[in-house]
Amino acid sequence: MIINDPFILCAETPNFPFYLVYTIAMQEDIIIQISNRLKDIRKEKNITLQELAEMAGVTKSMLSQVENSRSVPSLSVLLNLIKALDIDLNEFFKNITLIPASKVVVKKQKDYQSFEKENAEGFHYQRIFATTVNDYHIDFVLLRLEANARRPMVVTNALEFKYVIQGKVCYTIGDNDYLLEKGDSMFFDANELHNPASIGEEDAILLVVYFFTDRKL
């Protein structure tokens, strides 16, 4: 059964005014919209990551992962964040839309969504598509790495697949370095500290697929 509304009232759910339903279908996922909405409202209200984390009873690192699509919030965490932002639930969700399910999804390159992640210089992301399959959130992204790209090592609550479309990349995972060239690919548990670096003369371009394995934070 496909739920056409991202949330429905549920009288049997105690302590919550509504029950958020994550749909399982070939459709644009609402998780990315929720992450972006949280970040936009926080910035509009001039609230820092640390301040919002403390008000919502979560860690700054956890909140950063949610805002940067590195982890999917549980319902309780999401509700705490919305409450801490002091915004009405209906107001929060009013511009979050769900594209009707389809067996075929076509995305034109011009429709890819550019976005940034934390403390990253020279990392250029474009979201191709995001969906939920069998209760797992999956995110398809293009990443362009400049030769001088820099950021701290990161952890993502997901499994990651990487395919090198252009250039050469040195991928550090834990204490190990892996050299990837055009046409090479890798799959790994991103819960371990990791980071890519472009080591060729041209920018590196990678197709990245995130498989978020656990909604709970």
Side-chain angles (χ1 to χ4, degrees):
M1 179 178 69
I2 303 300
I3 306 297
N4 291 318
D5 197 320
F7 57 94
I8 60 173
L9 295 176
C10 182
E12 297 178 357
T13 305
N15 304 321
F16 299 113
F18 71 90
Y19 184 80
L20 187 65
V21 177
Y22 293 97
T23 60
I24 303 172
M26 286 287 290
Q27 57 194 14
E28 200 75 21
D29 200 272
I30 65 171
I31 303 300
I32 302 304
Q33 297 179 64
I34 289 173
S35 297
N36 291 340
R37 182 83 168 126
L38 286 170
K39 182 187 292 186
D40 290 345
I41 295 174
R42 178 181 63 78
K43 290 184 175 181
E44 287 172 6
K45 291 178 174 283
N46 293 317
I47 300 174
T48 66
L49 272 171
Q50 185 63 49
E51 290 170 341
L52 180 56
E54 291 177 356
M55 289 187 290
V58 299
T59 66
K60 179 182 177 181
S61 175
M62 179 188 298
L63 177 57
S64 178
Q65 284 191 320
V66 170
E67 285 194 354
N68 289 281
S69 303
R70 293 194 181 282
S71 197
V72 180
S74 65
L75 178 58
S76 60
V77 167
L78 176 59
L79 288 174
N80 286 341
L81 290 170
I82 294 173
K83 182 179 179 181
L85 288 169
D86 192 26
I87 184 170
D88 179 77
L89 292 174
N90 290 328
E91 178 68 19
F92 181 87
F93 284 103
K94 75 174 184 179
N95 293 322
I96 292 178
T97 58
L98 197 62
I99 297 175
S102 173
K103 292 183 178 181
V104 177
V105 178
V106 176
K107 292 293 289 290
K108 295 293 187 179
Q109 184 176 4
K110 64 180 179 63
D111 296 324
Y112 294 171
Q113 175 193 6
S114 297
F115 66 100
E116 298 178 353
K117 291 198 175 186
E118 70 289 323
N119 302 320
E121 297 182 7
F123 284 66
H124 304 279
Y125 295 90
Q126 281 189 306
R127 177 162 290 108
I128 300 173
F129 183 68
T131 190
T132 300
V133 178
N134 294 333
D135 207 33
Y136 291 102
H137 175 63
I138 305 174
D139 201 6
F140 299 83
V141 171
L142 279 178
L143 170 59
R144 179 170 64 85
L145 283 173
E146 295 180 3
N148 60 346
R150 296 290 183 273
R151 78 172 184 196
M153 297 277 279
V154 299
V155 169
T156 304
N157 185 27
L159 301 175
E160 292 189 24
F161 172 80
K162 312 279 187 178
Y163 176 82
V164 181
I165 298 173
Q166 172 184 298
K168 295 181 180 180
V169 176
C170 178
Y171 222 108
T172 301
I173 302 175
D175 297 326
N176 299 313
D177 292 334
Y178 302 88
L179 176 63
L180 300 175
E181 300 180 283
K182 180 179 178 180
D184 293 344
S185 61
M186 69 186 309
F187 184 67
F188 65 98
D189 185 346
N191 286 282
E192 187 169 3
L193 284 168
H194 61 276
N195 215 16
S198 176
I199 58 174
E201 296 181 357
E202 59 182 350
D203 290 356
I205 299 177
L206 297 86
L207 171 66
V208 185
V209 184
Y210 300 92
F211 300 86
F212 289 88
T213 55
D214 192 350
R215 294 186 183 279
K216 298 179 181 179
L217 291 179

Coordinates of all heavy atoms in Angstrom, one line a residue, residues 133-192:
V133 N 13.7 2.0 0.0 CA 13.4 0.6 -0.5 C 13.5 -0.3 0.7 O 14.5 -0.4 1.3 CB 14.4 0.2 -1.6 CG1 14.0 -1.2 -2.1 CG2 14.3 1.2 -2.8
N134 N 12.4 -1.0 0.9 CA 12.4 -2.0 2.0 C 12.9 -1.4 3.3 O 13.7 -2.0 4.1 CB 13.2 -3.2 1.7 CG 12.6 -4.0 0.5 OD1 11.4 -4.0 0.3 ND2 13.4 -4.7 -0.2
D135 N 12.4 -0.2 3.6 CA 12.7 0.5 4.8 C 14.2 1.0 4.9 O 14.6 1.5 6.0 CB 12.4 -0.3 6.1 CG 12.1 0.5 7.3 OD1 11.5 1.6 7.1 OD2 12.4 0.1 8.4
Y136 N 14.9 1.0 3.8 CA 16.3 1.5 3.8 C 16.3 2.8 2.9 O 15.9 2.7 1.8 CB 17.3 0.5 3.3 CG 17.5 -0.6 4.3 CD1 16.9 -1.9 4.0 CD2 18.2 -0.5 5.4 CE1 17.0 -2.9 4.9 CE2 18.4 -1.6 6.3 CZ 17.8 -2.8 6.0 OH 18.0 -3.8 6.9
H137 N 16.9 3.8 3.5 CA 17.1 5.1 2.7 C 18.3 4.9 1.8 O 19.4 4.6 2.3 CB 17.2 6.3 3.6 CG 17.5 7.5 2.9 ND1 16.6 8.1 2.0 CD2 18.5 8.4 2.9 CE1 17.1 9.2 1.5 NE2 18.3 9.4 2.0
I138 N 18.2 5.3 0.5 CA 19.3 5.2 -0.5 C 19.4 6.5 -1.2 O 18.5 7.1 -1.6 CB 19.0 4.0 -1.5 CG1 18.8 2.7 -0.8 CG2 20.2 3.9 -2.4 CD1 18.4 1.6 -1.7
D139 N 20.7 7.0 -1.2 CA 20.9 8.3 -1.8 C 22.0 8.1 -2.9 O 23.1 7.6 -2.7 CB 21.5 9.2 -0.7 CG 21.3 10.7 -1.0 OD1 20.7 11.0 -2.0 OD2 21.8 11.5 -0.2
F140 N 21.7 8.6 -4.1 CA 22.5 8.6 -5.3 C 23.1 10.0 -5.5 O 22.4 10.9 -5.7 CB 21.8 8.1 -6.5 CG 21.2 6.7 -6.4 CD1 20.0 6.5 -5.8 CD2 21.9 5.6 -6.9 CE1 19.4 5.2 -5.7 CE2 21.3 4.3 -6.8 CZ 20.1 4.1 -6.2
V141 N 24.4 10.1 -5.5 CA 25.1 11.4 -5.5 C 26.3 11.4 -6.4 O 27.0 10.4 -6.6 CB 25.6 11.8 -4.1 CG1 26.4 13.1 -4.1 CG2 24.3 12.0 -3.1
L142 N 26.5 12.5 -7.1 CA 27.7 12.8 -7.9 C 28.6 13.6 -7.0 O 28.2 14.7 -6.5 CB 27.5 13.5 -9.2 CG 27.0 12.6 -10.4 CD1 26.7 13.5 -11.6 CD2 28.0 11.5 -10.7
L143 N 29.9 13.3 -6.9 CA 30.9 14.0 -6.1 C 32.0 14.4 -7.0 O 32.7 13.6 -7.6 CB 31.4 13.2 -4.9 CG 32.5 13.8 -4.2 CD1 32.2 15.2 -3.6 CD2 33.0 12.9 -3.0
R144 N 32.3 15.7 -7.1 CA 33.4 16.2 -7.8 C 34.5 16.7 -6.8 O 34.1 17.6 -6.0 CB 33.1 17.4 -8.8 CG 34.3 17.9 -9.6 CD 33.9 18.9 -10.7 NE 33.2 20.0 -10.2 CZ 33.8 21.2 -9.8 NH1 35.2 21.2 -9.8 NH2 33.1 22.2 -9.4
L145 N 35.7 16.2 -6.9 CA 36.7 16.5 -6.0 C 37.8 17.4 -6.7 O 38.4 16.9 -7.7 CB 37.4 15.3 -5.4 CG 36.7 14.5 -4.3 CD1 37.5 13.2 -4.1 CD2 36.6 15.3 -3.0
E146 N 38.0 18.6 -6.2 CA 39.1 19.4 -6.7 C 40.4 18.8 -6.2 O 40.5 18.1 -5.2 CB 38.9 20.8 -6.2 CG 37.7 21.5 -6.8 CD 37.6 23.0 -6.3 OE1 38.5 23.4 -5.6 OE2 36.6 23.6 -6.6
A147 N 41.5 19.2 -6.9 CA 42.8 18.6 -6.6 C 43.2 19.0 -5.1 O 43.9 18.3 -4.5 CB 43.8 19.1 -7.6
N148 N 42.8 20.2 -4.7 CA 43.1 20.7 -3.4 C 42.0 20.5 -2.4 O 42.0 21.3 -1.4 CB 43.6 22.1 -3.4 CG 42.5 23.1 -4.0 OD1 41.5 22.6 -4.5 ND2 42.7 24.4 -3.8
A149 N 41.1 19.6 -2.6 CA 39.9 19.5 -1.7 C 40.4 19.1 -0.3 O 41.3 18.2 -0.2 CB 39.0 18.4 -2.3
R150 N 39.7 19.7 0.7 CA 40.1 19.4 2.1 C 38.9 19.3 2.9 O 37.9 20.0 2.8 CB 41.0 20.5 2.6 CG 42.4 20.7 1.9 CD 43.3 19.5 2.2 NE 44.6 19.7 1.6 CZ 44.9 19.3 0.3 NH1 44.0 18.7 -0.4 NH2 46.1 19.5 -0.2
R151 N 38.9 18.4 3.9 CA 38.0 18.3 5.0 C 38.5 17.3 6.0 O 39.4 16.5 5.7 CB 36.6 17.8 4.4 CG 36.5 16.3 4.2 CD 35.1 15.8 3.9 NE 35.1 14.4 3.8 CZ 34.2 13.7 3.2 NH1 33.1 14.3 2.7 NH2 34.3 12.4 3.1
P152 N 37.9 17.4 7.2 CA 38.3 16.4 8.3 C 37.8 15.0 7.9 O 36.9 14.9 7.1 CB 37.7 16.9 9.5 CG 37.3 18.3 9.2 CD 37.0 18.4 7.8
M153 N 38.4 14.0 8.5 CA 37.8 12.6 8.3 C 36.4 12.6 8.9 O 36.1 13.3 9.8 CB 38.7 11.6 9.1 CG 40.1 11.5 8.6 SD 40.3 10.4 7.2 CE 40.3 8.8 8.1
V154 N 35.5 11.8 8.2 CA 34.1 11.8 8.6 C 33.6 10.4 8.8 O 34.2 9.4 8.4 CB 33.2 12.5 7.5 CG1 33.6 14.0 7.4 CG2 33.3 11.7 6.2
V155 N 32.5 10.3 9.5 CA 31.8 9.0 9.7 C 30.4 9.2 9.1 O 29.7 10.2 9.4 CB 31.7 8.6 11.2 CG1 30.8 7.5 11.4 CG2 33.1 8.3 11.7
T156 N 29.9 8.2 8.4 CA 28.5 8.3 7.9 C 27.8 7.0 8.3 O 28.3 5.9 8.2 CB 28.5 8.3 6.3 OG1 29.2 9.5 5.9 CG2 27.0 8.5 5.8
N157 N 26.6 7.1 8.8 CA 25.8 6.0 9.3 C 25.2 5.2 8.1 O 24.0 5.2 7.9 CB 24.7 6.5 10.3 CG 23.9 5.3 10.9 OD1 24.5 4.2 11.0 ND2 22.7 5.5 11.2
A158 N 26.1 4.7 7.3 CA 25.6 4.0 6.1 C 26.7 3.1 5.5 O 27.9 3.1 6.0 CB 25.3 5.1 5.0
L159 N 26.3 2.3 4.6 CA 27.3 1.6 3.7 C 27.4 2.5 2.4 O 26.4 3.1 2.0 CB 26.8 0.2 3.3 CG 26.5 -0.8 4.5 CD1 25.9 -2.0 4.0 CD2 27.7 -1.1 5.3
E160 N 28.6 2.5 1.9 CA 28.8 3.4 0.7 C 29.4 2.6 -0.5 O 30.3 1.8 -0.3 CB 29.8 4.6 1.1 CG 29.1 5.6 2.0 CD 30.0 6.8 2.2 OE1 30.8 7.1 1.3 OE2 29.9 7.5 3.2
F161 N 28.9 2.9 -1.6 CA 29.5 2.4 -2.9 C 30.1 3.6 -3.6 O 29.4 4.7 -3.8 CB 28.5 1.7 -3.7 CG 28.9 1.4 -5.1 CD1 29.7 0.2 -5.3 CD2 28.6 2.1 -6.2 CE1 30.1 -0.1 -6.6 CE2 29.1 1.8 -7.5 CZ 29.8 0.7 -7.7
K162 N 31.3 3.5 -4.2 CA 32.0 4.5 -4.9 C 32.4 4.0 -6.3 O 32.9 2.9 -6.4 CB 33.2 5.0 -4.2 CG 33.0 5.4 -2.7 CD 32.4 6.7 -2.5 CE 32.4 7.1 -1.1 NZ 31.8 8.4 -0.8
Y163 N 32.2 4.8 -7.3 CA 32.6 4.4 -8.7 C 33.3 5.6 -9.3 O 32.7 6.7 -9.3 CB 31.5 4.0 -9.6 CG 31.9 3.7 -11.0 CD1 32.4 2.5 -11.3 CD2 31.7 4.7 -12.0 CE1 32.8 2.2 -12.7 CE2 32.1 4.4 -13.3 CZ 32.6 3.2 -13.6 OH 33.0 2.9 -14.9
V164 N 34.6 5.5 -9.7 CA 35.3 6.6 -10.2 C 35.0 6.8 -11.7 O 35.3 6.0 -12.5 CB 36.8 6.4 -10.0 CG1 37.6 7.6 -10.6 CG2 37.2 6.2 -8.5
I165 N 34.4 8.0 -12.0 CA 34.1 8.3 -13.4 C 35.2 9.0 -14.1 O 35.5 8.8 -15.3 CB 32.8 9.2 -13.4 CG1 31.6 8.5 -12.8 CG2 32.5 9.6 -14.8 CD1 30.4 9.3 -12.6
Q166 N 36.0 9.8 -13.3 CA 37.1 10.6 -13.9 C 38.1 10.8 -12.8 O 37.8 10.9 -11.6 CB 36.6 11.9 -14.4 CG 37.6 12.9 -14.8 CD 37.0 14.3 -15.1 OE1 36.2 14.4 -16.1 NE2 37.4 15.3 -14.4
G167 N 39.4 10.8 -13.2 CA 40.5 11.1 -12.3 C 41.0 10.0 -11.5 O 40.7 8.8 -11.7
K168 N 41.9 10.3 -10.5 CA 42.5 9.4 -9.5 C 42.2 9.8 -8.1 O 42.2 11.0 -7.8 CB 44.0 9.3 -9.7 CG 44.4 8.7 -11.1 CD 45.9 8.7 -11.1 CE 46.4 8.1 -12.5 NZ 47.9 8.0 -12.6
V169 N 41.9 8.9 -7.3 CA 41.5 9.2 -5.9 C 42.2 8.3 -4.9 O 42.4 7.1 -5.2 CB 40.0 9.0 -5.7 CG1 39.6 9.2 -4.2 CG2 39.2 9.9 -6.6
C170 N 42.8 8.9 -3.9 CA 43.3 8.1 -2.7 C 42.2 8.1 -1.7 O 41.9 9.2 -1.1 CB 44.6 8.7 -2.2 SG 45.3 7.8 -0.8
Y171 N 41.7 7.0 -1.3 CA 40.6 6.9 -0.4 C 41.2 6.3 0.9 O 41.7 5.2 1.0 CB 39.5 6.0 -0.9 CG 38.1 6.6 -0.5 CD1 37.3 7.2 -1.5 CD2 37.6 6.6 0.8 CE1 36.1 7.7 -1.2 CE2 36.4 7.2 1.1 CZ 35.7 7.8 0.1 OH 34.5 8.3 0.4
T172 N 41.1 7.1 2.0 CA 41.6 6.7 3.3 C 40.4 6.2 4.1 O 39.4 6.9 4.3 CB 42.2 7.8 4.1 OG1 43.4 8.3 3.3 CG2 42.7 7.3 5.4
I173 N 40.5 4.9 4.6 CA 39.5 4.3 5.4 C 40.2 3.7 6.7 O 41.0 2.8 6.5 CB 38.7 3.2 4.7 CG1 38.0 3.7 3.4 CG2 37.6 2.6 5.6 CD1 37.3 2.7 2.6
G174 N 39.9 4.3 7.8 CA 40.7 3.9 9.0 C 42.1 4.2 8.8 O 42.5 5.3 8.5
D175 N 43.0 3.2 9.0 CA 44.4 3.4 8.8 C 44.9 3.0 7.4 O 46.1 2.9 7.2 CB 45.1 2.5 9.9 CG 44.8 3.0 11.3 OD1 44.6 4.2 11.5 OD2 44.8 2.1 12.2
N176 N 44.0 2.6 6.5 CA 44.4 2.1 5.2 C 44.1 3.1 4.1 O 43.1 3.8 4.1 CB 43.8 0.8 4.9 CG 44.1 -0.3 5.9 OD1 45.3 -0.4 6.2 ND2 43.1 -1.0 6.4
D177 N 45.0 3.2 3.1 CA 44.8 4.0 1.9 C 44.5 3.1 0.7 O 45.2 2.1 0.5 CB 46.0 4.9 1.6 CG 46.2 6.0 2.7 OD1 45.2 6.3 3.3 OD2 47.4 6.4 2.8
Y178 N 43.6 3.5 -0.2 CA 43.2 2.7 -1.4 C 43.3 3.6 -2.6 O 42.7 4.7 -2.6 CB 41.8 2.1 -1.2 CG 41.6 1.3 0.0 CD1 41.3 1.8 1.2 CD2 41.9 -0.1 -0.1 CE1 41.1 1.0 2.3 CE2 41.7 -0.9 1.1 CZ 41.3 -0.4 2.3 OH 41.2 -1.1 3.4
L179 N 44.0 3.2 -3.6 CA 44.2 4.0 -4.8 C 43.1 3.6 -5.8 O 43.0 2.4 -6.1 CB 45.5 3.8 -5.5 CG 45.7 4.5 -6.8 CD1 45.6 6.0 -6.7 CD2 47.1 4.1 -7.4
L180 N 42.3 4.5 -6.3 CA 41.2 4.2 -7.2 C 41.4 5.1 -8.4 O 41.7 6.3 -8.4 CB 39.8 4.6 -6.6 CG 39.4 3.8 -5.3 CD1 38.1 4.4 -4.8 CD2 39.3 2.3 -5.6
E181 N 41.3 4.5 -9.6 CA 41.5 5.2 -10.9 C 40.1 5.0 -11.7 O 39.2 4.3 -11.3 CB 42.6 4.6 -11.7 CG 44.0 4.7 -11.0 CD 45.1 4.2 -11.8 OE1 45.3 2.9 -11.8 OE2 45.9 5.0 -12.4
K182 N 40.1 5.7 -12.8 CA 38.9 5.7 -13.6 C 38.4 4.3 -13.9 O 39.2 3.4 -14.3 CB 39.2 6.4 -15.0 CG 38.0 6.4 -15.9 CD 38.3 7.1 -17.2 CE 37.1 7.1 -18.1 NZ 37.4 7.8 -19.4
G183 N 37.1 4.0 -13.6 CA 36.6 2.7 -13.8 C 36.6 1.8 -12.5 O 36.0 0.8 -12.5
D184 N 37.4 2.2 -11.5 CA 37.5 1.4 -10.3 C 36.3 1.7 -9.4 O 35.7 2.8 -9.5 CB 38.8 1.7 -9.5 CG 40.0 1.3 -10.3 OD1 39.9 0.5 -11.2 OD2 41.1 1.7 -9.9
S185 N 36.0 0.8 -8.5 CA 34.9 1.0 -7.5 C 35.3 0.4 -6.2 O 36.2 -0.4 -6.1 CB 33.6 0.4 -8.1 OG 33.8 -1.0 -8.2
M186 N 34.5 0.8 -5.2 CA 34.7 0.2 -3.8 C 33.4 0.3 -3.1 O 32.5 1.1 -3.3 CB 35.8 0.9 -3.1 CG 35.5 2.4 -2.7 SD 36.9 3.3 -1.9 CE 37.4 2.1 -0.7
F187 N 33.3 -0.6 -2.1 CA 32.1 -0.7 -1.2 C 32.6 -0.9 0.2 O 33.5 -1.8 0.4 CB 31.2 -1.9 -1.7 CG 29.9 -2.0 -0.9 CD1 28.9 -1.0 -1.0 CD2 29.7 -3.1 -0.1 CE1 27.7 -1.2 -0.4 CE2 28.5 -3.2 0.6 CZ 27.5 -2.2 0.5
F188 N 32.1 -0.1 1.1 CA 32.7 -0.2 2.5 C 31.7 0.3 3.5 O 30.7 1.0 3.2 CB 34.0 0.6 2.6 CG 33.8 2.1 2.4 CD1 33.7 3.0 3.5 CD2 33.8 2.7 1.2 CE1 33.6 4.3 3.4 CE2 33.6 4.0 1.0 CZ 33.5 4.9 2.1
D189 N 32.0 0.0 4.8 CA 31.2 0.4 5.9 C 31.7 1.8 6.3 O 32.8 2.0 6.8 CB 31.3 -0.5 7.1 CG 30.4 -0.2 8.3 OD1 29.9 0.9 8.3 OD2 30.3 -1.1 9.1
A190 N 30.8 2.8 6.1 CA 31.2 4.2 6.3 C 31.1 4.7 7.8 O 31.3 5.8 8.1 CB 30.4 5.2 5.4
N191 N 30.8 3.7 8.7 CA 30.8 4.0 10.1 C 32.2 4.2 10.6 O 32.4 4.6 11.7 CB 30.0 3.0 10.9 CG 28.5 3.1 10.7 OD1 27.9 3.9 11.3 ND2 28.0 2.2 9.8
E192 N 33.2 3.8 9.8 CA 34.6 4.0 10.1 C 35.0 5.3 9.5 O 34.6 5.7 8.4 CB 35.4 2.8 9.6 CG 36.9 2.8 10.0 CD 37.6 1.5 9.7 OE1 37.0 0.7 9.1 OE2 38.8 1.4 10.1

